[in-house]
Amino acid sequence: MLEIRDLKKQFKTDGRAIPILDISRWHVAQGERVAITGPSGSGKSTLLHLISGIMSADSGSIAVNGQPLHELTEAKRDAFRASAIGYVLQDFHLIPSLTARQNIEIAMASGLTQKERRHIVDGWLERVGLAGRGRHLPSELSRGQQQRVAIVRAMVNNPPLLLADEPTGSLDWETAEEIASLLLDLSAAQGNTLIVVTHDLNMAGRFPRCLNIQDMNEVRREALPKQRIPVASGQREGVTL
Ligand code: ADP
Ligand code: MG
């Protein structure tokens, strides 16, 4: 499902190129559910951006569902992502002026009638415990509910690959547990491959496969740029791996 070979990514800061990722080989099988942990600044979000094709690698290859991403033009990559990859971004990224239903509908594949859309969205809202909340704006929903909407938006086209970046990062402990269960259960039911990056060791421990990014990244930790990460309220502090 996912095949990474000789992947390299660096960023230029103040005219200096800083290597962030160097992964010689990583493979994820169809239907696997994988958690990637690692300290802040270790390249977890960058890795997901590369897998999703939002960002391109300096060299090497990433194939998703048999499709090498670098062989696609940017427009084709966008189309491929829309059909094959669901991405739960850090901090939900819902559009504040749209209702929960509208936030989901804008991600849906075209070619459906209004009635079909309504039916599909109703089914999903019900499935994630948000029946009757379709007309709420994000500001009228709790953080956990907003995350559920973001998860539905990512899954509504049944993508074979689902990516999630710190999906429990800004949630209280109990809500984090619920969101972790939801991601694991929905992926098992849909049969999609799930890759989550997280600080949350409790969530990571619930995944059938869990690894530290530093086990596959050959950029030495000392070489990574130092950074201070603000700790959001509700997030567990002091977790370094
Ligand atoms: P993580 O998600 O593990 O906290 P990131 O992938 O966000 O780490 O970042 C890895 C490193 O790359 C960090 O040091 C970060 O500052 C740097 N970085 C990320 N994106 C950019 C960018 N667009 N330009 C320059 N540096 C970046
Ligand atoms: Mg990150």
Side-chain angles (χ1 to χ4, degrees):
M1 147 56 63
L2 173 70
E3 190 73 53
I4 291 181
R5 276 179 199 274
D6 301 322
L7 177 73
K8 287 199 166 86
K9 182 70 186 175
Q10 56 182 24
F11 287 118
K12 276 221 167 71
T13 312
D14 301 331
R16 214 160 55 94
I18 300 172
I20 302 293
L21 291 174
D22 179 354
I23 298 173
S24 54
R25 175 132 202 253
W26 194 51
H27 173 79
V28 178
Q30 168 68 43
E32 264 196 289
R33 291 170 295 157
V34 187
I36 302 175
T37 59
S40 290
S42 57
K44 303 184 300 298
S45 296
T46 304
L47 178 62
L48 287 194
H49 291 336
L50 292 170
I51 295 171
S52 73
I54 286 175
M55 193 182 266
S56 45
D58 298 329
S59 60
S61 69
I62 300 176
V64 175
N65 226 4
Q67 172 62 60
L69 298 181
H70 64 274
E71 288 178 3
L72 300 173
T73 59
E74 200 173 330
K76 288 232 168 80
R77 222 167 43 223
D78 288 346
F80 178 74
R81 182 170 52 252
S83 68
I85 302 174
Y87 199 170
V88 181
L89 293 155
Q90 209 164 344
D91 291 325
F92 325 137
H93 283 272
L94 298 176
I95 298 172
S97 58
L98 299 183
T99 64
R101 172 182 297 283
Q102 290 166 336
N103 265 289
I104 296 164
E105 286 191 356
I106 51 166
M108 288 176 81
S110 52
L112 297 167
T113 66
Q114 187 62 35
K115 202 172 158 196
E116 285 166 334
R117 281 168 187 275
R118 177 160 289 275
H119 182 70
I120 292 169
V121 175
D122 281 344
W124 274 100
L125 289 174
E126 166 117 41
R127 216 168 156 190
V128 302
L130 289 178
R133 308 270 173 173
R135 295 165 73 101
H136 286 53
L137 293 170
S139 60
E140 296 164 342
L141 298 170
S142 71
R143 296 186 70 76
Q145 289 171 333
Q146 289 177 54
Q147 185 62 294
R148 286 164 194 264
V149 174
I151 290 170
V152 171
R153 181 181 55 183
M155 294 192 80
V156 72
N157 295 326
N158 274 329
L161 177 61
L162 180 65
L163 307 172
D165 195 345
E166 306 278 4
T168 60
S170 61
L171 303 175
D172 64 69
W173 190 83
E174 204 178 341
T175 312
E177 287 275 300
E178 288 166 12
I179 291 295
S181 300
L182 188 66
L183 280 169
L184 282 163
D185 294 349
L186 287 176
S187 292
Q190 298 292 115
N192 63 268
T193 307
L194 172 66
I195 303 175
V196 164
V197 305
T198 183
H199 262 91
D200 182 344
L201 294 184
N202 185 53
M203 172 166 74
R206 296 178 57 190
F207 275 63
R209 182 177 169 200
C210 174
L211 74 157
N212 191 305
I213 193 168
Q214 293 169 119
D215 296 338
M216 58 170 158
N217 188 11
E218 282 151 42
V219 175
R220 286 177 305 113
R221 191 172 177 183
E222 307 80 78
L224 287 164
K226 301 262 180 300
Q227 61 178 15
R228 268 184 300 160
I229 299 295
V231 177
S233 60
Q235 202 174 344
R236 251 156 299 169
E237 284 182 57
V239 179
T240 40
L241 307 173

